[in-house]
Amino acid sequence: ALFDPEFNVHVGTQVLHETITRYGNVQRALQAYNGSLGDPSMRYPRKVMAMKKRIVAAAAGRLEVASAG
């Protein structure tokens, strides 16, 4: 079931929603989701938020998704 992309995204968003509720903000929730709460560099949340920024820009026509590389 987790190899089904639609189901995987559904479960992942539920888990992320629960962690946002528990930890109070997206960055801490992403750390918890990734198992990196003890990482002071916040590498994973920064990576995710940077990708979100690229996707939003691409959706607005300001960036080609292929250059996300």
Side-chain angles (χ1 to χ4, degrees):
L2 290 178
F3 293 108
D4 172 19
E6 186 177 337
F7 181 74
N8 190 303
V9 168
H10 179 72
V11 170
T13 55
Q14 282 184 324
V15 170
L16 189 54
H17 174 73
E18 290 171 9
T19 56
I20 291 169
T21 300
R22 180 175 179 185
Y23 291 97
N25 67 57
V26 174
Q27 287 75 16
R28 293 264 309 148
L30 286 168
Q31 282 187 293
Y33 181 82
N34 181 250
S36 61
L37 279 172
D39 179 10
S41 72
M42 295 187 66
R43 233 173 72 203
Y44 181 73
R46 287 188 298 117
K47 180 179 177 181
V48 171
M49 298 308 286
M51 183 55 69
K52 177 189 173 195
K53 185 176 181 179
R54 293 181 73 102
I55 291 168
V56 168
R62 296 189 306 257
L63 176 73
E64 291 187 27
V65 175
S67 67

